[in-house]
Amino acid sequence: MKIPITYNLRNLMTRKLTTFLTVLGVGLVVFVFAAVLMLAEGFRKTLVSSGDPDNVIILRKGANAELNSGVSRTQANIIKALSEAAVGDDGKPMVTGETFTVNNLPKRIDNQPSNVVVRGVSPESLILRDRVKIVEGRIWRPGTSEIITGKSIAGKFIGCGLGETIKMGGREWTVVGVFDAAGSSFQSEIWGDAEQFMDAFRRSSVFSSVTMKLDDPSVFPALKEKLESDPRLTVDVKREIEFYEEQSKGLGLFIKILGITITVIFSFGAMAGAVITMYSSVASRSAEIGTLRAIGFRRKNILASFLIECLLISLFGGIIGLFFASFLQFINISTTNWATFSEVVFGFDINGGIVLGSMLFSLTMGLIGGFAPAIRASRMQVVDALRAS
Amino acid sequence: MKILKIVFKNAFRHKLRSLLTATGIAIAIIAFGLLRTVIDAYYIGIEASSDTRLITSNAVSLTFFLPISCKNKIEQIEGVSKVCQSFWFGGTYIDQKNFFAQFAVEAESFVELYPEFVLQEDQKKNFLQERNSCIVGRKLANKYGWEEGDTFRIVGTIWPGDWDFVIRGIYDGRDKATDESSMYFHWSYIDERMEQTSPGRAGRAGWFYVGLNSRDDIVRVSEEIDAMFKNSMAETKTETEKEFQQSFISMVGTVINAVRIISIVVIAIILLVLANTMIMTARERIGEYAVLKTLGFKPSHISSLIFGESLTIALFGGLLGLGLTLIIVKRFGAFLENNMGGFFPIFEISNTTLSLAILAALAVGLIAAIFPTITAVKMKISDGLRQIG
């Protein structure tokens, strides 16, 4: 017969302060654990959501990022003529050559400069990426020094708000619109006419990348083969999603490794707390344990009961930690992505995997912490235990 | 003196509990020390940088080049001793995992501008004579087992092609903080091939190192340089080497702040563990405290007993942690310096970190004792004597 869980709950209630402190310790560790995973996930999601499963990005061979890639106008025209591209409502192929430059702009908060991606695009870019929507103002007019800015940076950098102007490449640019990109990394970019940027940044007719929407995504392998073996082109062809996944790898992995190492170290502290609490609980309840044994509960029942008690502590700790960690979703942070050398704004993102992982982590701490005390409790001799005051 | 004896006896009455608590504290102190040391290691680059050298780069951002023609103009400015062009090569050695910094520099002015890279005279001579030669830092050479005369190949990502290099010198740092994990080679080696294969990319510099005759000229010279290129094809931004390094660090500012916050969280976790231990201890000893009170001991005696015990455990744990931190930093530091020298040129624990760790342990010891002391002092003798276990 099992010892009822209410027995454990009431025990925990009797020592409110001790229980509370132990739960809080576990909760703090779970909080950090979840926060780190949420951060890495938020970063990954921001970048990956920039990719579209139907889109293909073409870069210069060997260049792993748009920053050091270059595709000439001649090469871009060869790609534009391909029949694999989807055709838009206006009858034009959905292919766009884009320029990618990084500009040092001062932040509003402290006037400190930071790098921002300035992407030269064409009207097709907005059709290709249907999640990009103008939320304020209007789209730029081709052939003018008009730009639109991503929602995440419009308020963050000097001159990036609607109606303001920025000086870049020796010219004044007027912000005529602010766009939303569904939380993707485009939302941390400045967009304008590619031809104008080529001129201002003296890129001499070289795009950084060419992006194409496929009419039928299943032709990707054949297209890749065809383009990469074309002697007129020296390019790498990637699915946009995979490309952005790669871009998130470096920093994402760094956050994860650093964070998990730290939390594992922290967890030893929380486990020590659990062990102490449980040992003291066992010691002060000797008489109770003796009584339980005397009225017929078996050793394994006692073992299970104490383990359950510790698991309850870690369960509460896990819930508290996750509860507070979930509020982090309202916070946005920004940092430099190594792959693009420029700032990207992202948030903490929670998902089922993180919730499950954090709870498992928490329960593991409880199980390890409660094991030795539970063994001691179950091994007590009835007579000795009863004699203890 | 008597009271000290009681404090010690009390502190180790529950050997297992005290040991666990002390271990928890030790682990937290280790985590605290390591995290702070990682941050310090990150900032070392700033300390190592000279303030008699300026760096002139493109005002747009570091990803833009400056025409080499700027060099002559900068050299004309009064107070400038030497100008050396450089750029980031960013090639791949074998595969992407083998990351180290590779800089193209104008060799002759470079060896003069950077006396902290110590080379033997004949090494210097050989390096200057051979077009495809390079010099590498001692730590980098150790990592790959390179020796003078060895050759290796780097595949360009920004500068397409296969590039073969021969090592003509292995430099040692003059100061401890000098970076020994980079590779420097001839700017002209890349530039000449570019002239043949893609002339549009020849004659470029990523930035210029500008040596000054006197430290007093810093402000004047940097203003003059920037004024000279104002409204030209390539506007410049000139800053001291220190400021230049700082801007790199501020890019990962968020990550560094996160690590700082986490190092404080770890202190909170140990506070919970020790507070828990002290509360349990005091609860068990309520009867004893009542007896002491009956015998005429004052509340101040009782509080010094509790504070003393708490501080003893905290200090014990703190010192244990500190000792282990020193060992770990030494072992781990040697590993990091040799294998990830690019990120952590020096990994050493600072005196500030040492003192902060001890202070944190003491503070935790004091705070943890507050609550149980209040309970013990306020308790009525009759209640205390009545309490069992």
Side-chain angles (χ1 to χ4, degrees):
Chain A
M1 182 156 152
K2 279 190 213 131
I3 303 175
I5 289 191
T6 41
Y7 167 75
N8 301 105
L9 282 172
R10 294 179 80 159
N11 265 321
L12 292 175
M13 281 307 287
T14 319
R15 296 171 184 78
K16 275 193 215 72
L17 195 58
T18 299
T19 308
F20 177 69
L21 288 176
T22 317
V23 167
L24 213 59
V26 175
L28 219 46
V29 176
V30 173
F31 175 81
V32 177
F33 184 79
V36 167
L37 292 181
M38 284 167 70
L39 197 62
E41 173 62 18
F43 179 66
R44 198 192 68 88
K45 212 170 151 187
T46 298
L47 283 184
V48 172
S49 68
S50 307
D52 186 298
D54 296 346
N55 287 359
V56 168
I57 187 166
I58 297 141
L59 303 165
R60 181 173 68 213
K61 193 157 212 66
N64 296 309
E66 285 173 279
L67 193 57
N68 47 22
S69 161
V71 180
S72 73
R73 197 184 290 274
T74 334
Q75 293 174 323
N77 285 335
I78 296 173
I79 299 165
K80 271 186 194 161
L82 292 170
S83 58
E84 281 87 348
V87 177
D89 298 336
D90 56 357
K92 284 191 193 163
M94 288 162 89
V95 180
T96 176
E98 299 184 343
T99 63
F100 181 100
T101 50
V102 171
N103 273 47
N104 213 241
L105 298 175
K107 282 188 189 168
R108 282 185 208 274
I109 187 167
D110 50 8
N111 209 23
Q112 283 297 312
S114 191
N115 287 332
V116 179
V117 172
V118 176
R119 188 181 290 274
V121 292
S122 64
E124 278 80 35
S125 300
L126 282 155
I127 305 171
L128 273 170
R129 307 202 169 88
D130 42 17
R131 272 169 297 178
V132 175
K133 297 255 160 31
I134 305 273
V135 287
E136 264 183 84
R138 57 176 174 84
I139 192 171
W140 74 95
R141 279 179 312 207
T144 62
S145 295
E146 291 179 345
I147 51 172
I148 56 174
T149 55
K151 207 173 79 180
S152 302
I153 54 155
K156 238 181 130 182
F157 285 86
I158 295 175
C160 288
L162 188 64
E164 295 181 297
T165 54
I166 323 173
K167 200 162 173 284
M168 293 187 297
R171 275 165 64 173
E172 293 263 338
W173 306 83
T174 313
V175 181
V176 297
V178 174
F179 64 92
D180 179 292
S184 69
S185 62
F186 294 130
Q187 213 165 290
S188 305
E189 298 182 351
I190 295 175
W191 284 18
D193 189 340
E195 302 297 330
Q196 297 300 311
F197 285 150
M198 272 190 198
D199 197 35
F201 298 123
R202 296 176 187 88
R203 288 190 58 99
S204 58
S205 278
V206 178
F207 292 106
S208 300
S209 65
V210 175
T211 306
M212 168 196 284
K213 190 172 213 86
L214 292 180
D215 197 21
D216 169 15
S218 65
V219 302
F220 174 76
L223 177 73
K224 184 179 165 75
E225 170 72 32
K226 181 166 139 193
L227 289 181
E228 290 184 355
S229 59
D230 190 326
R232 294 169 300 172
L233 311 163
T234 40
V235 292
D236 282 335
V237 181
K238 286 176 185 160
R239 281 188 201 273
E240 213 182 19
I241 286 209
E242 283 157 17
F243 171 72
Y244 282 104
E245 180 104 48
E246 273 170 33
Q247 301 274 294
S248 75
K249 246 178 210 159
L251 188 61
L253 199 69
F254 175 76
I255 296 176
K256 250 191 197 161
I257 291 181
L258 182 71
I260 289 180
T261 317
I262 290 169
T263 30
V264 167
I265 297 176
F266 283 13
S267 70
F268 285 105
M271 281 192 280
V275 175
I276 293 165
T277 306
M278 290 313 290
Y279 264 132
S280 135
S281 200
V282 171
S284 56
R285 274 146 67 185
S286 298
E288 275 176 41
I289 296 166
T291 315
L292 286 171
R293 290 290 313 282
I295 59 178
F297 287 105
R298 291 166 180 278
R299 285 183 197 280
K300 63 177 185 202
N301 298 132
I302 307 274
L303 182 77
S305 179
F306 274 89
L307 275 181
I308 285 169
E309 196 164 320
C310 202
L311 283 175
L312 280 174
I313 290 181
S314 60
L315 183 73
F316 295 143
I319 290 170
I320 288 182
L322 275 174
F323 176 75
F324 285 104
S326 63
F327 285 102
L328 290 173
Q329 287 178 95
F330 298 110
I331 298 174
N332 270 332
I333 72 165
S334 69
T335 192
T336 299
N337 182 11
W338 300 335
T340 58
F341 199 53
S342 55
E343 194 142 302
V344 57
V345 177
F346 57 100
F348 292 81
D349 199 83
I350 200 159
N351 61 24
I354 294 178
V355 172
L356 201 70
S358 306
M359 284 318 290
L360 276 178
F361 179 64
S362 171
L363 291 176
T364 313
M365 282 195 286
L367 201 65
I368 297 173
F371 195 71
I375 293 274
R376 175 186 286 188
S378 69
R379 287 217 180 126
M380 271 185 190
Q381 296 298 325
V382 183
V383 187
D384 296 342
L386 280 174
R387 202 178 286 145
S389 64
Chain B
M1 257 6 269
K2 281 263 164 57
I3 210 149
L4 261 185
K5 201 171 169 189
I6 302 180
V7 165
F8 276 115
K9 286 245 151 134
N10 269 344
F12 296 97
R13 185 146 25 140
H14 270 284
K15 279 207 191 62
L16 183 67
R17 183 191 295 169
S18 306
L19 216 65
L20 275 171
T21 313
T23 314
I25 294 171
I27 288 167
I29 291 291
I30 293 171
F32 179 79
L34 284 181
L35 289 175
R36 281 196 52 99
T37 309
V38 167
I39 296 179
D40 285 349
Y42 226 96
Y43 280 94
I44 287 267
I46 295 187
E47 278 164 42
S49 51
S50 146
D51 52 2
T52 56
R53 284 190 298 254
L54 297 173
I55 290 182
T56 300
S57 57
N58 192 309
V60 178
S61 77
L62 251 187
T63 59
F64 283 83
F65 291 95
L66 288 169
I68 192 71
S69 57
C70 296
K71 185 176 176 179
N72 274 327
K73 294 182 187 153
I74 299 173
E75 275 168 346
Q76 303 298 319
I77 292 172
E78 202 192 309
V80 171
S81 65
K82 269 251 147 26
V83 181
C84 169
Q85 72 270 29
S86 175
F87 58 71
W88 172 260
F89 186 69
T92 312
Y93 173 61
I94 304 174
D95 65 36
Q96 282 192 11
K97 264 176 260 154
N98 299 308
F99 170 82
F100 56 89
Q102 304 139 5
F103 298 98
V105 293
E106 200 264 308
E108 228 157 298
S109 48
F110 181 77
V111 291
E112 276 181 58
L113 271 174
Y114 281 84
E116 62 258 50
F117 295 146
V118 181
L119 284 168
Q120 279 154 27
E121 276 311 312
D122 57 321
Q123 291 184 327
K124 215 181 259 180
K125 226 177 84 197
N126 291 339
F127 172 51
L128 292 183
Q129 273 168 358
E130 232 168 315
R131 179 66 30 84
N132 67 336
S133 65
C134 68
I135 54 170
V136 294
R138 176 73 59 198
K139 281 173 188 159
L140 185 64
N142 288 347
K143 184 179 171 189
Y144 295 112
W146 285 336
E147 278 169 36
E148 243 181 281
D150 283 1
T151 57
F152 61 94
R153 169 171 290 186
I154 289 184
V155 179
T157 58
I158 308 174
W159 310 90
D162 292 342
W163 304 86
D164 291 309
F165 294 97
V166 54
I167 300 171
R168 283 299 173 221
I170 294 172
Y171 68 84
D172 292 293
R174 183 187 58 195
D175 312 308
K176 187 107 223 269
T178 308
D179 166 61
E180 289 181 6
S181 314
S182 302
M183 165 192 176
Y184 296 88
F185 54 88
H186 291 263
W187 177 83
S188 46
Y189 177 41
I190 312 289
D191 194 61
E192 275 164 22
R193 198 193 292 180
M194 281 299 130
E195 216 161 285
Q196 291 163 6
T197 56
S198 45
R201 306 188 69 197
R204 288 166 152 194
W207 58 84
F208 294 98
Y209 297 112
V210 180
L212 301 176
N213 289 327
S214 153
R215 198 172 289 211
D216 308 330
D217 289 340
I218 290 174
V219 178
R220 183 183 57 82
V221 171
S222 55
E223 278 171 3
E224 265 182 50
I225 294 176
D226 289 349
M228 186 150 69
F229 298 106
K230 188 106 192 139
N231 295 322
S232 78
M233 297 281 281
E235 294 194 3
T236 59
K237 176 176 168 194
T238 304
E239 51 199 340
T240 63
E241 211 174 84
K242 255 200 178 93
E243 288 164 339
F244 184 76
Q245 297 277 6
Q246 225 138 24
S247 65
F248 275 93
I249 304 250
S250 69
M251 279 184 191
V252 283
T254 356
V255 175
I256 289 188
N257 283 339
V259 174
R260 282 220 172 98
I261 294 172
I262 287 175
S263 71
I264 295 170
V265 171
V266 70
I267 301 295
I269 293 176
I270 53 165
L271 177 62
L272 290 173
V273 173
L274 183 63
N276 188 15
T277 302
M278 287 318 294
I279 288 167
M280 282 187 310
T281 309
R283 187 169 46 218
E284 288 165 11
R285 297 197 190 137
I286 281 292
E288 289 170 33
Y289 297 142
V291 172
L292 286 175
K293 273 189 175 179
T294 320
L295 293 174
F297 283 97
K298 295 200 184 77
S300 62
H301 286 121
I302 301 201
S303 42
S304 57
L305 272 182
I306 302 177
F307 272 98
E309 182 172 347
S310 179
L311 281 174
T312 308
I313 298 178
L315 259 186
F316 178 66
L319 289 176
L320 184 72
L322 219 50
L324 288 172
T325 314
L326 286 174
I327 297 171
I328 293 174
V329 166
K330 209 167 180 187
R331 290 276 165 85
F332 187 55
F335 171 80
L336 278 183
E337 283 173 20
N338 291 329
N339 292 288
M340 294 179 68
F343 295 109
F344 301 107
I346 293 188
F347 199 77
E348 260 176 16
I349 197 160
S350 71
N351 289 334
T352 327
T353 302
L354 286 179
S355 5
L356 274 179
I358 284 293
L359 276 180
L362 283 177
V364 165
L366 285 176
I367 297 171
I370 294 175
F371 198 82
T373 308
I374 295 174
T375 328
V377 169
K378 274 194 180 161
M379 160 220 40
K380 288 198 192 102
I381 295 181
S382 50
D383 289 342
L385 287 174
R386 202 176 290 143
Q387 175 140 354
I388 325 160

